[in-house]
């Protein structure tokens, strides 16, 4: 029983501290998750009204100072048969670490009228080799570099 209590409360302390501490195997420090993560599989074409969208690449750059950026490259075209336009967008996030998880909070640009911010949580796979959005279990971002972006 004492070991169970130690495991439960020890894990809670690791999560609260947000750092990897001796005996806290599933808490991460920012240096543990920093790197470049790419979408592991293509996404299907999405149609919204008369516009089709195909995601070409989706990359997350996570650094050790608790910020991250996400770059999306995508093609859009009018349905049916319009000319294709390639676009890129970039978003900036701050993040928090929890037990085997990372939570991204979108950074609203200065003077912009943004909706209430919501933190999106991703599960961190062992060794921070990949991250998976909790709301999209079929999506996986694989780490291709552990170096700071």
């Amino acid at each position: 029983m004492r070991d169970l209590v130690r495991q439960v409360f020890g894990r809670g302390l690791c999560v609260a501290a947000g750092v990897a501490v001796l005996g806290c195997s599933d808490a991460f420090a920012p240096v543990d998750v920093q790197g470049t993560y790419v979408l592991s599989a293509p996404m299907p074409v999405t149609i919204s009204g008369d516009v089709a969208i195909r995601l070409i690449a989706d990359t997350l750059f996570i650094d050790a100072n608790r910020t991250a950026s996400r770059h999306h490259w995508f093609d859009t075209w009018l349905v049916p048969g319009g000319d294709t336009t390639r676009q890129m967008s970039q978003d900036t996030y701050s993040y928090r670490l929890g037990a085997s998880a990372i939570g991204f909070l979108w950074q609203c640009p200065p003077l912009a009228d943004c909706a209430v911010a919501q933190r999106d949580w991703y599960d961190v796979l062992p060794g921070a080799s990949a991250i998976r959005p909790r709301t999209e279990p079929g999506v996986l971002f694989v780490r291709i570099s552990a170096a700071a972006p």
Side-chain angles (χ1 to χ4, degrees):
M1 181 65 149
R2 180 180 297 168
D3 289 335
L4 178 61
V5 170
R6 191 176 305 145
Q7 282 180 336
V8 170
F9 286 103
R11 181 172 296 162
L13 291 173
C14 293
V15 172
V19 295
V21 181
L22 186 62
C24 301
S25 61
D26 49 355
F28 295 98
V31 70
D32 297 326
V33 295
Q34 79 177 6
T36 302
Y37 295 78
V38 296
L39 191 62
S40 66
M43 301 294 287
V45 172
T46 303
I47 298 178
S48 178
D50 62 349
V51 176
I53 303 168
R54 177 181 29 242
L55 184 64
I56 303 300
D58 194 352
T59 306
L60 282 163
F61 300 97
I62 301 173
D63 61 33
N65 69 0
R66 296 190 184 270
T67 61
S69 63
R70 186 172 184 177
H71 301 243
H72 314 271
W73 290 267
F74 53 96
D75 289 340
T76 59
W77 64 92
L78 292 176
V79 177
D83 291 335
T84 300
T85 303
R86 175 135 317 153
Q87 300 176 46
M88 192 276 256
S89 68
Q90 177 181 340
D91 296 311
T92 304
Y93 303 87
S94 62
Y95 68 86
R96 286 181 32 191
L97 296 169
S100 299
I102 184 169
F104 295 101
L105 183 62
W106 181 66
Q107 298 296 296
C108 183
L111 305 175
D113 185 17
C114 298
V116 175
Q118 176 179 334
R119 192 170 300 277
D120 293 322
W121 285 96
Y122 288 60
D123 292 319
V124 178
L125 279 61
S129 61
I131 58 176
R132 178 185 316 279
R134 290 184 174 171
T135 57
E136 303 173 75
V139 175
L140 183 69
F141 286 85
V142 177
R143 183 159 67 172
I144 60 168
S145 170

